[in-house]
Amino acid sequence: MSGPGASAAAIQRHYDIGDEFYALWLDESRTYSCALWEGEEDLHAAQLRKIDWHLARCGAQGVRRLLDIGCGWGALLRRATERHGVAQAVGLTLSAAQQRLIEANGRPRVEARLEGWAEHRPGATYDAIVSIGAFEHFARLDQSPAEKLAGYRAFFTFCHEALAPGGRLSLQTITYENADRRDFSRFFAEHIFPESDLPHLTEIVSAAQGLFEIEQLRQDRAHYARTARAWLSRLKAQRAAAEALVGAETVERYKKYLGLLVLGFHAGTMNLARIGLRRLEKWR
Ligand SMILES: C[S@@+](CC[C@H](N)C(=O)[O-])C[C@H]1O[C@@H](n2cnc3c(N)ncnc32)[C@H](O)[C@@H]1O
């Protein structure tokens, strides 16, 4: 059970097409989400800045237990334990390939679990939670607006229960901006991110109400346009190697998808939200 959004099978269709394929065009930390750019630096530096931003936002420095919901290939888990003094970093992913790779790296204070947040039983509370680029999978296009909101509410309720008092959640997600689910590209829905839908910022705020207060909000669509441009030019430069791994048709599909990301963020149909939230005490 992955929760109210995309199923494990749908997630694996996207993320399990091959670790080596993603390694060709993502940066060397294999981070698969919008970077945080400053100046003329390269993609890798901008991805590490993004990871550090979220770790600072959720107060991860020196904590006992950190949870990363949607941990990808584990870049943030590694950095949290190696650079931010986190004693134990637990990552959740629905991708078997990602979980295998993290576990194969055998880092003692890092644990990757093949399970969705809805089925995760923490055992002990977490001091900080991060979720980057996974919220996009927590609702489906076939849900009613009320069902979609209930799923988001279940996510924030899970985070509230999993966090120690005063703990923080740092969240990053694509949102609809000047568009809505009627505009969701059929190409994306059928071929790239099946069983997924994007949130509106208002849905996030509404679903978190009474559970979390928002301490910080950044909207950075220009950063995603630049990230997707960097991915696209790396994929083009590695075209022959990519075709050898996954075939010409898949490479064409990914080129189209990355090109559409650049356009969408540039035009403002989508935006990129980075949200720092702090757990509220329940008073009744
Ligand atoms: C776009 S990747 C982002 C990975 C990583 N956070 C990064 O920035 O590189 C989305 C991740 O969310 C995970 N995911 C999707 N739905 C999930 C769910 N219900 N519970 C936990 N993880 C989920 C996927 O398996 C994948 O690891």
Side-chain angles (χ1 to χ4, degrees), residues 2-277:
S2 57
S7 65
I11 293 293
Q12 291 180 8
R13 258 173 67 194
H14 184 85
Y15 295 99
D16 289 5
I17 68 170
D19 292 341
E20 295 81 15
F21 170 64
Y22 285 103
L24 283 179
W25 51 275
L26 299 178
D27 72 304
E28 64 224 62
S29 73
R30 229 176 283 184
T31 296
Y32 190 17
S33 51
C34 175
L36 184 54
W37 298 90
E38 256 178 36
E40 293 304 310
E41 68 196 355
D42 66 9
L43 177 62
H44 183 54
Q47 289 294 16
L48 295 183
R49 170 172 305 97
K50 180 268 304 287
I51 289 173
D52 288 343
W53 187 89
H54 283 287
L55 288 171
R57 260 288 99 230
C58 69
Q61 186 63 41
V63 300
R64 200 174 39 94
R65 272 163 63 79
L66 168 88
L67 178 66
D68 183 1
I69 301 175
C71 62
W73 287 274
L76 182 137
L77 299 173
R78 283 196 302 279
R79 201 157 168 91
T81 51
E82 289 167 9
R83 295 291 187 91
H84 295 262
V86 171
Q88 189 193 15
V90 178
L92 306 182
T93 175
L94 294 179
S95 153
Q98 293 179 339
Q99 193 251 355
R100 265 197 310 274
L101 189 112
I102 299 171
E103 288 298 303
N105 282 339
R107 290 199 162 67
R109 290 179 290 135
V110 168
E111 180 191 351
R113 303 178 65 94
L114 184 60
E115 60 188 14
W117 56 265
E119 58 189 330
H120 180 56
R121 299 288 167 266
T125 54
Y126 291 100
D127 305 297
I129 302 182
V130 181
S131 185
I132 304 174
F135 201 92
E136 295 88 335
H137 298 302
F138 296 169
R140 298 189 315 270
L141 281 172
D142 63 1
Q143 289 172 322
S144 71
E147 286 168 338
K148 186 182 177 193
L149 203 59
Y152 292 157
R153 182 74 179 171
F155 171 73
F156 285 113
T157 303
F158 163 81
C159 292
H160 190 274
E161 284 168 5
L163 266 178
R168 290 182 167 83
L169 159 67
S170 196
L171 181 68
Q172 172 167 318
T173 180
I174 301 172
T175 59
Y176 287 119
E177 191 59 69
N178 187 19
D180 63 35
R181 65 195 330 196
R182 290 168 304 183
D183 307 305
F184 197 92
S185 149
R186 282 193 48 197
F187 167 74
F188 267 60
E190 280 167 24
H191 300 292
I192 304 294
F193 291 118
E195 301 180 17
S196 297
D197 189 16
L198 297 175
H200 290 273
L201 194 56
T202 48
E203 291 170 323
I204 299 175
V205 173
S206 160
Q209 200 174 2
L211 298 172
F212 286 90
E213 61 185 323
I214 294 177
E215 291 187 319
Q216 193 166 0
L217 166 65
R218 292 181 60 144
Q219 289 189 286
D220 279 333
R221 67 186 167 89
H223 290 242
Y224 218 145
R226 186 171 170 187
T227 304
R229 259 201 320 272
W231 288 339
L232 182 56
S233 68
R234 291 163 75 92
L235 179 57
K236 283 181 178 166
Q238 296 286 347
R239 186 192 193 114
E243 287 184 359
L245 284 171
V246 296
E249 198 192 317
T250 300
V251 174
E252 270 315 299
R253 196 154 35 91
Y254 271 70
K255 278 174 52 196
K256 181 173 172 184
Y257 144 55
L258 295 175
L260 284 171
L261 280 188
V262 176
L263 285 177
F265 287 112
H266 187 69
T269 53
M270 301 181 290
N271 214 326
L272 187 278
R274 309 191 217 256
I275 311 174
L277 302 121

